């Protein structure tokens, strides 16, 4: 008993600290990760797109459109003539008439001035005619006339060669101003709105292909005869004009006809209402 009284009293042990809950910021990353995983597995319904006949059409469908493919072919035949000014005419003037290479400068200047000052008036004049196909065909035929003139220019006296070159260049530029606006509007209007980009990309291939083939074609023809390239260009421009006229009834009416009142014929679904005779009042 004495030993128990004499033993020093020990201080009671402090209570164990209670576990504190983790702060809410510590659980946010894991919660966000779980939410992101669930969100990835949720499939949101996509709005249904209207099914159209041309929705999945590609370049094969463009090539199957025979009227537009014919329009592209006609433009290729005519576009060969656009390369004559920069590729064929300077070489022809130097080889056939022994003119200096600097003669190309004044010819380009005349063409540029005419395109700058006469482009808008000629374009307005072309809009007065109802059918774009015929206006473009007329421009192609003017091209062909200028090319035939260049082929016959070699028989002229040397004193009148420069005058003949400038005069035929003016005729060539008129054909360019008449053909280009109508052909461009025709290519855009004939393409469907759903796939217009692919249609116009295919149409532009005719320009690229003609510019690529023109130098080698003209060089090979010049080796045979100096007049042969002009005759080939006249034939190709005439063929392009014939193709345009042949496609007139197969292309859409809104593409062929300009926006003139009464120019477009009534469609098949439209029925013309008979006019009722006016009854005058009896006097």
């Amino acid at each position: 008993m004495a030993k128990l009284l004499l033993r020093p009293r020990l201080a009671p042990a402090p209570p164990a600290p209670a576990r504190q809950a983790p702060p809410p910021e510590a659980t946010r990353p894991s919660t966000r990760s779980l939410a992101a995983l669930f969100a990835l597995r949720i499939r949101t319904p996509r709005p249904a797109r209207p099914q159209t006949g041309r929705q999945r059409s590609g370049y094969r469908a463009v090539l199957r459109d025979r009227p537009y493919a014919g329009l592209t072919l006609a433009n290729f035949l005519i576009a060969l003539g656009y390369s004559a000014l920069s590729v064929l005419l300077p070489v022809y003037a130097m080889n056939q008439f022994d003119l200096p290479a600097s003669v190309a400068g004044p010819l380009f200047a005349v063409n540029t001035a005419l395109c700058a000052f006469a482009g808008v008036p000629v374009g307005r004049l072309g809009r007065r005619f109802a059918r774009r196909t015929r206006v473009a065909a007329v421009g192609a035929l003017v091209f062909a006339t200028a090319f035939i003139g260049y082929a016959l220019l070699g028989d002229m006296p040397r004193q009148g060669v420069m005058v003949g070159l400038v005069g035929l260049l003016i005729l060539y530029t008129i054909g360019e101003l008449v053909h280009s606006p109508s052909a461009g509007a025709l290519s855009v209007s004939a393409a469907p709105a759903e796939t217009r980009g692919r249609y116009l990309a295919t149409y532009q291939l005719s320009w690229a292909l003609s510019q690529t083939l023109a130098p080698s074609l003209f060089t090979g023809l010049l080796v045979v005869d100096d007049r042969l390239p002009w005759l080939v260009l006249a034939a190709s421009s005439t063929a392009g004009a014939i193709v345009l006229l042949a496609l007139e009834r197969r292309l859409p009416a809104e593409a062929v006809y300009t926006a003139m009142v009464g120019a477009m014929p009534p469609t098949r679904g439209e029925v013309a209402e008979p006019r009722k005779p006016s009854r005058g009042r009896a006097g």
Side-chain angles (χ1 to χ4, degrees):
M1 189 68 182
K3 291 180 180 180
L4 292 175
L5 293 174
L6 293 175
R7 184 179 296 177
R9 296 182 180 179
L10 298 177
R19 294 183 179 180
Q20 298 181 357
E25 292 79 2
T27 60
R28 286 180 183 177
S30 58
T31 306
R32 291 175 180 175
S33 301
L34 293 175
L37 291 176
F38 282 112
L40 290 176
R41 297 184 63 87
I42 297 176
R43 298 181 179 180
T44 56
R46 297 181 179 181
R49 297 181 180 180
Q51 297 292 333
T52 59
R54 300 181 182 269
Q55 186 174 1
R56 295 184 178 181
S57 59
Y59 288 100
R60 294 182 179 179
V62 179
L63 297 177
R64 291 173 185 171
D65 193 341
R66 293 185 178 180
Y68 201 88
L71 183 64
T72 306
L73 175 62
N75 187 73
F76 168 75
L77 295 174
I78 302 172
L80 287 172
Y82 281 83
S83 301
L85 178 61
S86 58
V87 179
L88 180 59
L89 186 57
V91 179
Y92 178 72
M94 292 172 59
N95 294 344
Q96 184 71 18
F97 308 109
D98 296 330
L99 295 177
S102 59
V103 73
L107 296 178
F108 279 114
V110 172
N111 177 262
T112 304
L114 288 176
C115 291
F117 294 103
V120 176
V122 174
R124 290 178 179 175
L125 181 62
R127 295 192 192 98
R128 296 182 180 180
F129 297 91
R131 304 184 185 186
R132 296 189 178 103
T133 50
R134 298 187 179 184
V135 176
V138 169
L141 292 178
V142 175
F143 262 161
T145 305
F147 296 147
I148 293 176
Y150 279 121
L152 300 177
L153 193 62
D155 299 332
M156 289 184 61
R158 187 176 178 82
Q159 293 78 11
V161 168
M162 196 62 192
V163 178
L165 287 175
V166 176
L168 291 174
L169 179 64
I170 294 175
L171 185 62
Y172 168 89
T173 307
I174 293 174
E176 179 182 356
L177 296 177
V178 172
H179 169 265
S180 182
S182 298
L186 185 62
S187 65
V188 175
S189 302
E194 299 85 358
T195 53
R196 182 165 293 169
R198 295 178 180 178
Y199 270 72
L200 294 181
T202 306
Y203 184 82
Q204 290 299 321
L205 287 178
S206 61
W207 291 101
L209 187 59
S210 64
Q211 294 176 359
T212 303
L213 295 179
S216 58
L217 176 63
F218 296 159
T219 303
L221 295 176
L222 282 172
V223 172
V224 180
D225 192 347
D226 292 338
R227 295 171 296 181
L228 188 57
W230 300 111
L231 297 176
V232 171
L233 288 178
S236 65
S237 299
T238 305
I242 295 174
V243 173
L244 286 175
L245 295 178
L247 293 173
E248 192 172 88
R249 297 182 179 180
R250 302 183 61 186
L251 292 171
E254 61 272 13
V256 174
Y257 292 87
T258 57
M260 296 179 62
V261 179
M264 293 180 60
T267 58
R268 297 179 180 179
E270 297 178 354
V271 179
E273 297 181 357
R275 296 182 178 179
K276 298 180 180 179
S278 57
R279 298 179 180 178
R281 296 181 179 178

